[in-house]
Amino acid sequence: ELYGDKIKIYKGFECEYLPEEMENYKYLKEELGYEFLIMGQHCDKTGQINSFNLTKPDELKAYGDSVCEGLLTGYFKLLAHPDVIFSKYPVMWDKTCEEVFGDVFELCEKLQIPVEINVNGFRDNRGYPNPEMLKFSRKYDLIYMINTDAHDPAKLYDEKVAECEQWCRDLGLSITQLYPFDKALNGGKYKGTYQ
């Protein structure tokens, strides 16, 4: 009540693209008013391959296919940590990475779906954000968003967020300001970037 005229709260969550869940997502969006679904693909679309444990090129391709298929549903407004696969993938970058992320980023560009740069990687040394992937991504006209991924309110804007912001500037990435979201959520384009 105190801040109702100053703060807008969006209803949403991070979820997987799993074909059998799409009817549930439709219900959540259309019936319960969830506006902002974030694709955080922690597995392939079968749920069998864990994205944190990818070690083989065919697993990476299955991950990429799942991400692309999910983005094409039109349900997701942001692609979270696409570089999650670098948690265990045995190389920083190779030809398979270029093929897979080329397909993913081409689709993000076409659909105007922002790509998240996840701060938790800076907190926990997770293998992401991956600098090689992000350097490669500059070939595409992408929208980037830094997400604090705060599992603790104390980390909503901590020193790691500022570290990530500077890291992005050093890589030459233009980061989209998160707010206002209204136009983007209603089919418009995201506005406002900083270098």
Side-chain angles (χ1 to χ4, degrees):
E1 290 176 8
L2 184 61
Y3 296 101
D5 62 335
K6 296 179 178 66
I7 297 174
K8 180 170 171 91
I9 297 173
Y10 293 96
K11 222 157 102 169
F13 54 89
E14 181 178 343
C15 51
E16 315 291 326
Y17 166 64
L18 297 167
E20 67 272 17
E21 293 297 330
M22 295 314 293
E23 280 302 311
N24 290 331
Y25 296 164
K26 182 177 180 182
Y27 171 76
L28 289 166
K29 283 175 70 79
E30 295 178 5
E31 301 297 324
L32 300 183
Y34 282 80
E35 303 164 274
F36 202 79
L37 299 189
I38 301 169
M39 180 195 280
Q41 201 66 19
H42 300 91
C43 59
D44 71 330
K45 69 180 182 181
T46 68
Q48 301 299 309
I49 300 173
N50 182 332
S51 302
F52 286 98
N53 293 319
L54 299 187
T55 58
K56 300 174 186 163
D58 60 324
E59 293 173 339
L60 178 54
K61 288 178 183 177
Y63 166 79
D65 290 345
S66 299
V67 169
C68 290
E69 191 174 313
L71 294 176
L72 285 168
T73 66
Y75 275 75
F76 302 99
K77 299 289 186 188
L78 173 66
L79 176 59
H81 49 57
D83 41 3
V84 68
I85 66 99
F86 293 102
S87 296
K88 292 272 175 69
Y89 200 66
V91 295
M92 280 288 279
W93 194 253
D94 64 11
K95 186 170 176 43
T96 304
C97 294
E98 191 164 315
E99 291 169 9
V100 168
F101 286 104
D103 291 343
V104 168
F105 294 146
E106 186 176 330
L107 200 51
C108 287
E109 177 182 53
K110 179 181 174 184
L111 300 175
Q112 290 286 291
I113 294 174
V115 173
E116 177 201 65
I117 300 169
N118 190 292
V119 177
N120 263 344
F122 284 89
R123 293 188 185 105
D124 301 333
N125 298 314
R126 296 180 177 202
Y128 63 89
N130 178 284
E132 298 306 317
M133 184 203 75
L134 288 166
K135 286 176 193 171
F136 172 79
S137 76
R138 293 181 305 194
K139 293 181 173 185
Y140 302 87
D141 184 19
L142 297 178
I143 302 160
Y144 300 97
M145 287 187 177
I146 293 173
N147 180 15
T148 185
D149 200 358
H151 293 217
D152 173 344
K155 295 179 179 176
L156 189 59
Y157 192 87
D158 60 7
E159 71 282 353
K160 292 298 181 181
V161 175
E163 183 181 324
C164 183
E165 288 173 341
Q166 185 57 54
W167 186 80
C168 289
R169 287 186 191 98
D170 292 345
L171 281 178
L173 302 177
S174 294
I175 307 301
T176 296
Q177 297 287 354
L178 290 175
Y179 298 101
F181 263 135
D182 293 330
K183 188 172 181 184
L185 284 170
N186 293 310
K189 293 194 175 186
Y190 289 83
K191 288 186 171 181
T193 61
Y194 66 85
Q195 290 284 342

